[in-house]
Amino acid sequence: MFQGHGDDGYLYGQTLAADFSTNVWHGGPPKGLKEHLFSQWENVQRYPEVLAESLTEKIALSCNFKAENILVTNGSTESIYLIAQAYQQRKTTLIIPAFAEYEDACKMFGHEISFLDWSALQTGITPGTELLFICNPNNPTGAVYPDLEQLIQKHSNILFVVDEAFIEFTFSVISVIALIEKYTNLIVLRSMTKAYAIPGLRLGYLAANPVLIERLRSFKLPWSVNTMAIAAGHFIFDHAKTIEIPLQQLLADQADFSKKLSASGLIVYPSHTHFFLARTNWQTAAALKQFLLKEFNILIRNADNFRGLTDKHIRIATLSKNKNQLLINALTKWKPI
């Protein structure tokens, strides 16, 4: 899906007053990262490390793993496509609503796909399933599944792919990354672009049993992670304790924002993260998106291309209080004439 994601403001050729379509941390990259990357500029004259080996070692050390447990990738999207390729033509279950790239990647590599609603996960896994993708916390809903270990243990014949791209944005669930040493049927996807606001650099990693990592590595293109992304990864792990997002405040802002949006006429769904789903009461999400762009230079995420949602659903991320108020004010004009 080359189009249909959030953060697509570049398509419209206008200066945005506020962009609610992306669920990247609105506070921007960590202080000092820009200067660090500028200091690394001369390194772009050489090829990057073939498999980002130095960053692999640093991530492994940070997580108390061995380097054999980690594979650094060009963002979570590369991770998803690597898994779909390495385990092609499997019987694969996707927990929905879900990030569209799971389905697109699996279609590309001939998977037999079935879909399971989030609410039916506990008992609804189809017999014969070989591979299962779940995002926890979930994109686009912000829901969390509290006890994935129970499912991973129960279905030992299924390879669980747990996408934790938004794990830094919730207090409601803890990462399952520590379980990779306990279970050989688990791959954990981590993103380094959301919480540190560097999606343009494309950086993430996989954590799993060494046998699984070796299989995925055999399909990986050399030099897929560029020199600047590797340098950013080093900076982030070197300063991890001092560059965490202010999550307590962010979630408090989200609660206040959601309440005010509900009062403005949107139907807002509960979420455990800074982003959440909402639904317009009239016309469509596409119409609302165009209205906000044309009249207020505000961008939202039309969520009608998430399987399981409708043409009235939108996804909204919490921004600063001032920008949140721009959307609240604009929505007072979104009503039948």
Side-chain angles (χ1 to χ4, degrees):
M1 180 183 293
F2 295 111
Q3 305 296 342
H5 294 293
D7 201 17
D8 59 353
Y10 68 95
L11 296 173
Y12 305 102
Q14 63 192 81
T15 301
L16 295 175
D19 183 358
F20 296 93
S21 74
T22 173
N23 39 25
V24 170
W25 158 235
H26 71 80
K31 184 178 180 181
L33 176 58
K34 179 179 178 180
E35 293 75 13
H36 175 70
L37 293 182
F38 283 0
S39 75
Q40 303 294 309
W41 176 250
E42 289 188 0
N43 291 329
V44 302
Q45 299 176 71
R46 301 192 301 271
Y47 280 93
E49 298 167 11
V50 175
L51 290 170
E53 289 89 345
S54 65
L55 183 55
T56 299
E57 292 281 354
K58 185 163 290 185
I59 294 171
L61 182 64
S62 174
C63 298
N64 294 316
F65 296 143
K66 296 178 180 178
E68 291 78 11
N69 292 114
I70 301 295
L71 184 63
V72 178
T73 61
N74 183 260
S76 292
T77 299
E78 186 191 15
S79 299
I80 293 163
Y81 279 81
L82 275 176
I83 293 166
Q85 182 180 15
Y87 297 94
Q88 57 192 282
Q89 300 182 337
R90 295 299 202 272
K91 293 181 178 179
T92 299
T93 296
L94 307 181
I95 308 304
I96 59 171
F99 184 43
E101 297 301 339
Y102 307 146
E103 182 176 350
D104 290 350
C106 289
K107 284 180 176 178
M108 180 178 288
F109 293 104
H111 291 240
E112 181 181 325
I113 305 171
S114 61
F115 303 96
L116 180 64
D117 189 83
W118 181 274
S119 62
L121 180 57
Q122 181 65 34
T123 58
I125 296 176
T126 306
T129 295
E130 298 172 286
L131 186 64
L132 183 146
F133 281 85
I134 181 171
C135 187
N136 195 35
N138 189 43
N139 177 24
T141 64
V144 299
Y145 193 84
D147 191 14
L148 280 176
E149 183 176 7
Q150 180 262 336
L151 288 176
I152 294 165
Q153 184 179 50
K154 178 181 178 181
H155 299 281
S156 58
N157 58 317
I158 297 175
L159 179 58
F160 282 78
V161 180
V162 181
D163 186 349
E164 293 187 341
F166 301 99
I167 196 70
E168 294 93 349
F169 292 96
T170 188
F171 289 122
S172 299
V173 69
I174 62 172
S175 173
V176 297
I177 197 166
L179 299 180
I180 65 165
E181 295 186 304
K182 185 176 180 181
Y183 298 101
T184 59
N185 62 322
L186 172 63
I187 301 174
V188 178
L189 279 57
R190 300 297 295 269
S191 171
M192 295 179 66
T193 64
K194 308 296 191 301
Y196 304 109
I198 53 168
L201 281 177
R202 313 306 308 134
L203 185 62
Y205 61 94
L206 293 156
N209 176 278
V211 174
L212 300 178
I213 291 294
E214 182 56 35
R215 180 173 186 144
L216 295 169
R217 187 184 290 120
S218 70
F219 288 90
K220 194 176 190 302
L221 295 176
W223 308 302
S224 73
V225 182
N226 71 66
T227 295
M228 289 303 187
I230 294 171
H234 278 287
F235 182 92
I236 288 167
F237 276 93
D238 287 342
H239 299 84
K241 293 182 179 180
T242 61
I243 60 175
E244 293 180 348
I245 60 174
L247 185 55
Q248 193 81 46
Q249 184 61 56
L250 181 60
L251 294 180
D253 289 347
Q254 186 266 6
D256 179 67
F257 187 31
S258 296
K259 183 178 179 180
K260 290 176 179 178
L261 287 176
S262 294
S264 74
L266 287 184
I267 297 170
V268 179
Y269 298 88
S271 171
H272 292 272
T273 68
H274 69 303
F275 61 87
F276 49 91
L277 279 181
R279 183 164 60 86
T280 179
N281 277 314
W282 79 290
Q283 292 195 21
T284 64
L288 176 55
K289 178 179 178 178
Q290 291 304 313
F291 167 78
L292 291 171
L293 273 170
K294 181 180 178 181
E295 300 296 331
F296 299 98
N297 292 316
I298 290 173
L299 184 63
I300 59 171
R301 170 69 155 95
N302 175 5
D304 66 2
N305 66 334
F306 284 98
R307 186 179 289 273
L309 300 184
T310 73
D311 65 356
K312 293 182 180 294
H313 282 94
I314 60 176
R315 191 192 68 199
I316 299 171
T318 304
L319 303 181
S320 68
K321 289 185 178 181
N322 289 341
K323 289 189 176 181
N324 293 344
Q325 191 63 45
L326 292 177
L327 181 57
I328 293 163
N329 294 343
L331 285 170
T332 63
K333 308 298 183 181
W334 176 249
K335 56 187 177 182
I337 299 175

